[in-house]
Amino acid sequence: MTNFSQIKEALKYIDEHLNEAITLEMLSGKFFLSPFYFHRTFSAVVGKSLAAYIRDRRIFYACEQLCNTEKNILDIALDCGFHSPQSFSRVFRAIQGMTPKEYRARGCQPVIASADELIIKFTNRLKGGIYLNPNIIKRDALIIAGAHGDDSKTGDVWKAFGTLCNEKPLRNALSASGYEIRVCEGNQCTVYVGYAVSGKEGIDSAYSVFELPASKYASFDVYVSNGYESENNAMDEWLKTNTKGYSERLLNGNAHYCVEYYDERFNGNEADSIVEIWVPVEKL
């Protein structure tokens, strides 16, 4: 899923099939994507998981029927994909803070945004090319073998790494996904680039080795062609304003760092090229 038109189609499909079982596997298959990638992208754009979105959407439409029809509560529950009035009432109360009967008695008039309106809202969540609602992920410690240098010369560092790989190939690289780690302490910023490897043994001494600690990260998806240079301000804003209590986690307690992760979704400056940026976070 590389653009908002596909997400809009997914939202429309959900609205049209709320009384049916909608699974991640089925919906991702409609877009010929893996369930993992579909869910990751859907969550990044919409701001919540697929299951949570479907649940909330079913309740919104139930609210509309409660206020604008004479249907009994059981029929409304079934129309909105719930299998029993008990489960419907439990979820309804958790979201609306009252029972369906109480909601109907109040005569509320819910406003339900269409898929077209929602996609405009989600588009506004983009700043440049970065989504402002990151996924929170956990990663184990990694050993990165590659090259390093001044972060103002990142392109040269990547070239040096490419040359080194051609001359002395890494035999224990875990994958062809690339890592770019930027470490800043005071006024000194260093960039490390390379591949994750299974261990230090057998690595030629020409390679730089950087040990990335286990951490929890806020993982931002960045569309490179839409403003790759805008990501720093957007991430700083998220760190200051997120409501989940996350703050930046420093390396060894004193150095700022972040990780750029280049997997198969990265394709240079093409329109659908994505790079993940991981900001280490913790709750104090």
Side-chain angles (χ1 to χ4, degrees):
M1 185 176 298
T2 57
N3 58 59
F4 285 106
S5 65
Q6 290 175 292
I7 297 176
K8 182 167 68 175
E9 290 306 310
L11 299 182
K12 286 182 176 179
Y13 181 90
I14 290 169
D15 279 353
E16 293 167 1
H17 298 83
L18 285 175
N19 63 334
E20 303 173 13
I22 304 174
T23 66
L24 173 60
E25 290 72 17
M26 177 270 293
L27 199 55
S28 61
K30 289 181 64 66
F31 295 95
F32 306 100
L33 296 168
S34 73
F36 172 81
Y37 181 51
F38 177 90
H39 190 266
R40 179 181 179 83
T41 307
F42 185 95
S43 299
V45 175
V46 175
K48 62 181 69 174
S49 70
L50 176 65
Y53 177 82
I54 293 172
R55 176 204 64 201
D56 291 351
R57 205 66 174 161
R58 283 172 169 159
I59 293 299
F60 289 155
Y61 276 97
C63 289
E64 183 182 54
Q65 291 190 47
L66 285 167
C67 294
N68 298 319
T69 75
E70 298 298 323
K71 290 182 179 180
N72 63 52
I73 290 176
L74 174 59
D75 288 339
I76 291 174
L78 295 175
D79 284 347
C80 294
F82 293 90
H83 299 301
S84 71
Q86 292 82 10
S87 63
F88 171 59
S89 294
R90 183 175 61 254
V91 175
F92 192 97
R93 187 176 191 125
I95 293 175
Q96 296 295 341
M98 64 187 80
T99 66
K101 184 177 180 179
E102 290 170 337
Y103 188 92
R104 172 172 266 173
R106 292 194 180 190
C108 303
Q109 288 297 322
V111 177
I112 302 177
S114 68
D116 291 314
E117 292 169 327
L118 286 173
I119 212 66
I120 292 173
K121 173 184 176 182
F122 299 147
T123 302
N124 289 339
R125 188 177 287 125
L126 274 171
K127 284 206 170 181
I130 186 170
Y131 292 123
L132 293 184
N133 50 315
N135 292 303
I136 303 300
I137 62 175
K138 292 181 180 179
R139 290 291 181 266
D140 293 333
L142 289 171
I143 300 172
I144 308 299
H148 76 282
D150 190 291
D151 83 325
S152 65
K153 300 178 180 179
T154 301
D156 292 338
V157 178
W158 274 109
K159 289 178 182 177
F161 173 60
T163 299
L164 188 56
C165 283
N166 288 331
E167 294 175 352
K168 301 175 181 180
L170 280 169
R171 305 299 182 188
N172 61 343
L174 296 176
S175 74
S177 296
Y179 291 80
E180 180 178 305
I181 305 150
R182 207 169 301 277
V183 181
C184 294
E185 189 170 2
N187 295 323
Q188 181 65 41
C189 290
T190 303
V191 64
Y192 299 84
V193 308
Y195 295 150
V197 294
S198 58
K200 298 179 182 179
E201 298 78 10
I203 298 176
D204 192 279
S205 60
Y207 282 93
S208 300
V209 175
F210 182 87
E211 296 189 49
L212 192 62
S215 183
K216 184 177 289 185
Y217 296 95
S219 175
F220 297 83
D221 283 353
V222 178
Y223 279 83
V224 178
S225 64
N226 291 343
Y228 186 67
E229 297 303 322
S230 68
E231 79 277 3
N232 288 335
N233 289 338
M235 289 185 290
D236 287 345
E237 179 181 334
W238 180 85
L239 283 169
K240 293 175 182 177
T241 62
N242 79 87
T243 59
K244 297 181 179 180
Y246 287 110
S247 58
E248 183 182 8
R249 179 178 182 270
L250 300 180
L251 183 65
N252 299 323
N254 58 11
H256 299 274
Y257 77 104
C258 68
V259 181
E260 295 183 16
Y261 177 63
Y262 299 84
D263 60 11
E264 67 277 359
R265 295 178 297 161
F266 178 73
N267 186 25
N269 291 319
E270 296 298 318
D272 61 350
S273 184
I274 294 175
V275 61
E276 290 180 27
I277 297 185
W278 303 349
V279 177
V281 294
E282 61 185 353
K283 288 188 177 181
L284 300 177

